[in-house]
């Protein structure tokens, strides 16, 4: 057996490095972005409408109604409407499920606790193991929240109906009806408190929501604009192209699938899907130009004007005009120049097609897979562990609230649901944002009660108070994932403090209790998620990076076919999956500074940081160029020994990437990673394409070696046996 066959090394560790400057971070996150003001103003209008309706018709839980508007509002109309519809249906079904639970346990209160635990566990399990996760999450939250508030309502209804002990200003009617009817009334009114904001969100987005078609065209136009600046030799254009390459095409394809859903009178343009591929491919080709020609962009100057004409045509929905000029180059850059010319012409051809109807195949691809559960729903233990941890947190909060007879802290149950996430860093990041947002919102609410509430006389005054704080919450909420959740918590805490009952309030006790509930819920989540099955950010990043390496292996495997052909659908799927894995790894790295010492890396290990993730992401550029050149050579023919050498090298590289993925994920196969990287093949023959292919093989080998030098497994030192050991072994 070879020595490296049994070689096992530690998987690489993960670190994002030092945290950035807080002031610079806030300045970047709070800057105006396209559509941010319009989205924020829409939320303000919908929140004010929901509060006005609830105040007028005396619908309970006004704060929940206002927060639902924030919770459901997205960045574009179609997904927001779909989410709102699904959430509305889930809430109504959850309300009736809650009524059924009370029917079963009304005479046996001890049965209510296990039923609550079982339903919370099931909902949280399905929220992770099903494509309909958000629907199950909302349903589980409503059931648990309805049961906790239902206990309070039931307890009040069972009290003697005397004026002396009845809080008439809160729920006067429940003292004069049977307990069962009081409970059903409350739950039905609570369902109305959810349905009203859902209906308002749907109506507002149907009328004024941002069209995914417009967002798609803007995103593609931005990519063409960055390509034009790069070809013109402008500075910083390279960074823009790299950022767009790391974004991938997943979000663009999502917008493509949503575009035209509401525009029923218009036919859906047929060119969008191919245009996404062509424009993305153009950016990758321009980045590849840097690796071959360096800073010399003079041959690309004619392409700058062609990109700008295509950009204007895309924005104005008009034909782009004359075809782009031919890009010329020599040596290894010639195939790149030909590919750039061909891609620009393909873009022009697709833009020249005005309107049409999407093909049935494309529509089918846009639809869902129809699976209710993920393929690993019952084999992945993380789903069950997450559900158990959330259920434990919810039940702890419920027990503390019940045993202390302190119903005012019922917000701890809400916190247990909305703070819990997959990793420790993610959970603590969200808990930190919730804590900060809670303090800001509660502080604004308490200040309003002390300074403004005594001067308020009607509903108009209340709406004037809500508008600026809601605008602040929405503006922060439409930032990136680093701060967005703090915005929603500013709104939630402010609503819970200010919107007590109907009309202005001066009750400071309720504000205090609800704030304490939020803080207590954060503490419970912190303790549970850092002590029971803690999931490190490093493990999740390694998993995503291993998936990315596996997709690179799949891409290289496409070039092993005997006929040299490459399935474009398989390549597109692998491209998209690779981009998603890299994007997810980068997103999870944001939460690494929030990890606790118990789950952080062991000292002395070389980390995978954000820079290394980007280096792995850049491997896509040479591999994409290699696949294009190989496909061209297969079409025009090469000597059979050369073709055999190319296929053998692709097979060896694909196997190496699979070993690298295994080592990244679990530490297995370190020997194959250290010793198994194949050397580039020696290719010789006429034609620039073969020369370019050999160049890209060398560049890919160089990039991989650079990554291995930074985070690759260390070679195990060879320890020579001592003389005494040798004599002992000899007998």
């Amino acid at each position: 057996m070879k020595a490296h066959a049994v070689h096992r090394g530690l998987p690489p560790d993960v670190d994002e490095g030092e945290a950035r400057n807080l002031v610079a971070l806030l300045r970047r996150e709070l800057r105006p972005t396209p559509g941010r003001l319009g989205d924020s103003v829409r939320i303000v209008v919908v929140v004010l409408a929901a509060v006005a309706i609830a105040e007028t018709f005396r619908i309970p839980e006004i704060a929940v109604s206002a927060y639902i508007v924030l919770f459901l509002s997205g960045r574009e109309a179609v997904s927001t409407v779909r989410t709102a519809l699904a959430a509305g249906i889930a809430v109504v079904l959850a309300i009736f499920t809650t009524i059924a639970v009370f029917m079963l346990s009304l005479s046996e209160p001890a049965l209510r606790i296990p039923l609550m635990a079982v339903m919370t566990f099931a909902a949280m399990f399905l929220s992770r193991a099903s494509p309909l996760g958000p629907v199950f999450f909302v349903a589980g939250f409503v059931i648990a929240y309805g049961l906790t508030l239902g206990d309070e309502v039931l307890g009040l209804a069972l009290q003697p109906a005397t004026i002396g002990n009845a809080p008439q200003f809160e729920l006067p009617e429940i003292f004069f009806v049977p307990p069962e009817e009081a409970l059903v009334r409350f739950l039905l009114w609570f369902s109305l408190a959810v349905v009203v904001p859902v209906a308002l969100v749907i109506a507002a987005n149907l009328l004024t929501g941002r069209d995914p078609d417009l967002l798609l065209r803007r995103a593609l136009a931005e990519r063409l604009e960055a390509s034009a600046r790069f070809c013109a030799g402008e500075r910083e254009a390279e960074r823009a192209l790299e950022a767009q390459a790391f974004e991938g095409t997943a979000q663009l394809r999502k917008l493509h699938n949503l575009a035209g859903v509401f525009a029923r009178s218009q036919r859906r343009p047929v060119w969008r899907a191919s245009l996404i591929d062509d424009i993305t491919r153009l950016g990758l080709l321009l980045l590849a130009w840097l690796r071959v020609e360096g800073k010399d962009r003079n041959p690309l100057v004619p392409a700058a004007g062609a990109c700008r004409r295509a950009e204007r045509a895309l924005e104005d929905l008009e034909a782009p005009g004359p075809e782009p000029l031919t890009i010329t180059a020599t040596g290894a850059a010639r195939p790149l120049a030909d590919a750039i010319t061909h891609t620009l012409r393909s873009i022009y051809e697709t833009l020249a097609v005005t309107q049409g109807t999407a093909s049935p195949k494309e529509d089918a691809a846009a639809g869902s897979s129809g699976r209710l559960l993920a393929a690993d729903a019952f084999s992945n233990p993380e789903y069950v562990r997450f559900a158990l941890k959330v259920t434990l947190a919810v039940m702890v909060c419920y027990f503390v609230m019940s045993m202390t007879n302190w119903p005012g802290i019922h917000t701890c149950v809400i916190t247990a649901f909305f703070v819990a996430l997959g990793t420790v860093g993610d959970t603590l990041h969200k808990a930190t944002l919730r804590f900060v947002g809670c303090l800001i919102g509660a502080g604004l609410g308490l200040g309003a009660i002390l300074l403004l509430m005594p001067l308020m006389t009607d509903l108009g005054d209340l709406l004037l108070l809500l508008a600026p704080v809601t605008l602040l919450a929405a503006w922060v909420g439409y930032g990136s994932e680093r701060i967005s959740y703090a915005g929603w918590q500013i709104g939630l805490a402010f609503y819970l403090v200010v919107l007590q009952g109907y009309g202005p309030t001066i009750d400071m006790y309720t504000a205090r209790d609800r704030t304490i509930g939020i803080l207590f819920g954060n503490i419970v989540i912190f303790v549970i998620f850092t002590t029971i099955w803690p999931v490190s950010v490093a493990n999740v990043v390694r998993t995503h990076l291993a998936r990315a390496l596996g997709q690179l292996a799949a891409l290289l495997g496409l070039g092993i076919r005997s006929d040299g052909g490459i399935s474009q659908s398989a390549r597109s799927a692998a491209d998209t999956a690779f981009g998603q894995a890299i994007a997810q790894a980068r997103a999870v790295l944001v939460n690494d500074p929030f990890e606790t010492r118990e789950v952080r890396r062991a000292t002395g290990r070389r980390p995978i940081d954000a820079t290394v993730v980007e280096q792995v992401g850049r491997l896509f550029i040479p591999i994409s160029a290699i696949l294009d050149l190989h496909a061209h050579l297969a079409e025009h023919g090469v000597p059979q020994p050369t073709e055999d050498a190319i296929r053998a090298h692709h097979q060896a590289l694909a196997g190496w990437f699979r070993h690298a993925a295994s080592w990244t994920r679990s530490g297995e196969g370190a020997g194959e990673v250290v010793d198994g990287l194949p050397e580039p093949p020696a290719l010789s023959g006429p034609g620039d394409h073969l020369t370019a292919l050999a160049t890209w093989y060398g560049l890919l080998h160089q990039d991989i070696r650079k990554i291995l030098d930074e985070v690759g497994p260390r070679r195990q030192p060879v320890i020579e046996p001592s003389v005494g050991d040798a004599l002992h072994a000899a007998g």
Side-chain angles (χ1 to χ4, degrees):
M1 181 180 295
K2 295 182 180 180
H4 67 264
V6 295
H7 186 187
R8 177 186 175 93
L10 292 173
D13 202 6
V14 177
D15 179 25
E16 198 199 359
E18 299 297 329
R20 297 182 180 180
N21 180 271
L22 180 60
V23 176
L25 175 65
L26 292 177
R27 185 183 298 114
R28 186 192 67 188
E29 293 291 340
L30 297 178
R31 71 184 188 276
T33 55
R36 191 171 191 174
L37 179 60
D39 292 340
S40 301
V41 171
R42 184 188 311 111
I43 286 181
V44 172
V45 173
V46 177
V47 166
L48 297 184
V51 171
I53 293 174
E55 292 279 359
T56 301
F57 296 99
R58 300 180 68 83
I59 301 175
E61 299 298 329
I62 302 177
V64 175
S65 297
Y67 180 68
I68 284 176
V69 176
L70 300 179
F71 180 74
L72 294 179
S73 296
R75 299 179 185 271
E76 46 83 17
V78 177
S79 61
T80 299
V81 170
R82 289 180 174 177
T83 302
L85 282 173
I89 295 172
V91 166
V92 173
L93 295 177
I95 290 295
F96 285 104
T97 302
T98 306
I99 294 175
V101 172
F102 273 113
M103 291 174 61
L104 293 174
S105 62
L106 196 60
S107 60
E108 192 63 43
L111 185 61
R112 195 174 310 145
I113 294 176
L115 286 175
M116 183 190 304
V118 168
M119 291 192 171
T120 301
F121 173 83
M124 292 302 99
F125 173 79
L126 293 173
S127 71
R128 285 305 179 94
S130 172
L132 300 176
V135 176
F136 290 110
F137 176 86
V138 171
F141 163 70
V142 170
I143 292 173
Y145 189 58
L147 289 174
T148 57
L149 287 184
D151 275 345
E152 182 182 352
V153 173
L154 191 62
L156 290 174
L158 292 174
Q159 293 182 11
T162 61
I163 298 300
N165 63 3
Q168 297 288 344
F169 58 89
E170 290 184 358
L171 291 170
E173 68 276 7
I174 68 172
F175 293 95
F176 307 101
V177 295
E180 298 86 349
E181 185 177 347
L183 182 62
V184 173
R185 281 190 183 185
F186 167 76
L187 292 175
L188 293 179
W189 275 106
F190 181 63
S191 66
L192 188 61
V194 175
V195 171
V196 167
V198 166
L200 291 174
V201 167
I202 293 174
N205 279 272
L206 288 175
L207 295 174
T208 64
R210 289 200 285 175
D211 188 357
D213 176 76
L214 179 61
L215 295 178
L216 175 62
R217 287 192 286 114
R218 285 179 179 174
L220 293 177
E222 288 177 0
R223 298 198 173 202
L224 286 172
E225 189 264 344
S227 298
R229 291 193 293 112
F230 179 88
C231 294
E234 296 184 16
R235 296 181 178 180
E236 304 298 327
E238 179 183 348
R239 288 186 179 181
L241 286 179
E242 286 186 347
Q244 293 166 359
F246 282 123
E247 288 177 5
T249 61
Q251 183 63 25
L252 297 179
R253 294 184 184 280
K254 177 183 177 181
L255 292 174
H256 163 251
N257 294 336
L258 297 175
V261 172
F262 291 157
R264 298 177 180 176
S265 60
Q266 300 177 358
R267 292 182 298 170
R268 195 172 163 190
V270 300
W271 43 258
R272 288 196 186 97
S274 61
L275 197 63
I276 292 172
D277 293 333
D278 289 336
I279 292 178
T280 303
R281 174 180 166 81
L282 176 63
L284 292 174
L285 290 172
L286 295 178
L287 289 174
W289 182 274
L290 287 176
R291 302 297 307 276
V292 176
E293 288 294 286
K295 299 296 182 180
D296 182 16
R297 305 183 195 176
N298 291 328
L300 299 177
V301 172
C307 291
R308 295 201 181 277
R309 288 193 298 271
E311 177 191 354
R312 290 193 295 269
L314 185 61
E315 291 178 340
D316 300 335
L317 291 178
E318 297 177 353
E323 286 193 2
L325 300 176
T326 301
I327 310 300
T328 58
T330 58
R334 180 184 172 186
L336 271 179
D338 295 341
I340 292 172
T341 301
H342 176 76
T343 303
L344 283 172
R345 289 178 178 174
S346 178
I347 292 173
Y348 270 57
E349 290 174 359
T350 52
L351 285 175
V353 179
T354 54
Q355 299 290 328
T357 304
S359 65
K361 182 178 180 180
E362 185 179 355
D363 287 336
S368 60
S369 62
R371 296 177 60 94
L372 180 61
L373 294 176
D376 61 344
F378 298 105
S379 60
N380 190 343
E382 293 300 326
Y383 300 145
V384 175
R385 292 176 179 178
F386 174 79
L388 285 173
K389 288 188 287 188
V390 175
T391 303
L392 178 60
V394 170
M395 300 311 297
V396 167
C397 292
Y398 175 71
F399 285 143
V400 172
M401 182 181 65
S402 300
M403 292 179 178
T404 59
N405 194 24
W406 198 356
I409 62 170
H410 66 272
T411 49
C412 62
V413 177
I414 304 176
T415 303
F417 273 97
F418 286 96
V419 172
L421 290 171
T423 66
V424 172
D426 201 7
T427 299
L428 297 184
H429 180 201
K430 202 168 186 179
T432 302
L433 293 178
R434 188 179 183 95
F435 180 82
V436 174
C438 169
L439 293 181
I440 295 175
L444 292 174
L446 292 173
I449 292 176
L450 290 173
L451 302 176
L452 300 178
M453 285 292 184
L455 305 177
M456 297 169 57
T457 58
D458 55 23
L459 179 59
D461 294 337
L462 178 62
L463 298 183
L464 287 176
L465 172 63
L466 293 175
V469 179
T470 302
L471 181 63
L472 170 65
W475 188 272
V476 177
Y478 277 115
S480 73
E481 292 184 355
R482 289 182 180 271
I483 67 167
S484 62
Y485 195 69
W488 308 135
Q489 297 320 299
I490 291 174
L492 176 61
F494 182 77
Y495 300 149
L496 289 173
V497 170
V498 172
L499 298 177
Q500 305 175 29
Y502 310 105
T505 180
I506 58 173
D507 184 7
M508 300 291 290
Y509 293 102
T510 301
R512 177 203 64 187
D513 293 348
R514 292 179 174 182
T515 304
I516 291 175
I518 294 175
L519 300 179
F520 176 69
N522 276 311
I523 293 173
V524 172
I525 286 291
F526 172 83
V527 172
I528 291 177
F529 274 75
T530 56
T531 57
I532 302 177
W533 296 312
V535 180
S536 174
V537 167
N539 292 333
V540 178
V541 172
R542 282 196 293 266
T543 299
H544 291 315
L545 205 58
R547 285 178 46 222
L549 294 171
Q551 293 303 321
L552 293 181
L555 283 170
L556 288 167
L558 296 176
I560 305 177
R561 293 174 50 177
S562 59
D563 58 356
I566 295 178
S567 170
Q568 291 302 317
S569 60
R571 180 175 176 179
S572 178
D575 291 350
T576 302
F578 174 82
Q580 289 176 334
I582 291 294
Q584 289 168 347
R586 298 179 70 197
V588 174
L589 274 170
V590 172
N591 302 307
D592 186 66
F594 295 89
E595 292 265 76
T596 58
R597 291 183 178 180
E598 287 75 13
V599 295
R600 272 190 178 274
R601 62 192 178 280
T603 58
R605 292 166 60 190
R606 290 176 290 179
I608 289 178
D609 57 10
T611 302
V612 175
V613 173
E614 290 185 2
Q615 290 174 347
V616 174
R618 290 193 185 99
L619 294 179
F620 182 76
I621 297 174
I623 289 178
S624 179
I626 288 171
L627 292 178
D628 292 338
L629 291 169
H630 184 210
H632 180 273
L633 291 173
E635 291 176 359
H636 294 80
V638 292
Q640 189 61 40
T642 301
E643 180 64 27
D644 293 341
I646 292 173
R647 284 204 300 267
H649 186 61
H650 280 217
Q651 187 173 4
L653 270 178
W656 184 88
F657 274 112
R658 285 191 290 269
H659 291 311
S662 176
W663 172 75
T664 302
R665 182 183 296 109
S666 61
E668 297 179 353
E672 288 83 352
V673 176
V674 174
D675 304 324
L677 180 62
E679 294 292 331
L683 303 178
S684 61
D688 292 331
H689 285 78
L690 196 59
T691 302
L693 183 60
T695 301
W696 280 111
Y697 280 140
L699 290 174
L700 176 62
H701 186 84
Q702 174 184 335
D703 293 344
I704 294 174
R705 275 298 176 196
K706 181 179 179 181
I707 297 174
L708 288 178
D709 290 341
E710 294 184 14
V711 296
R714 301 177 185 272
R715 290 181 178 272
Q716 296 293 334
V718 178
I719 302 175
E720 296 293 338
S722 63
V723 177
D725 292 338
L727 293 175
H728 178 75

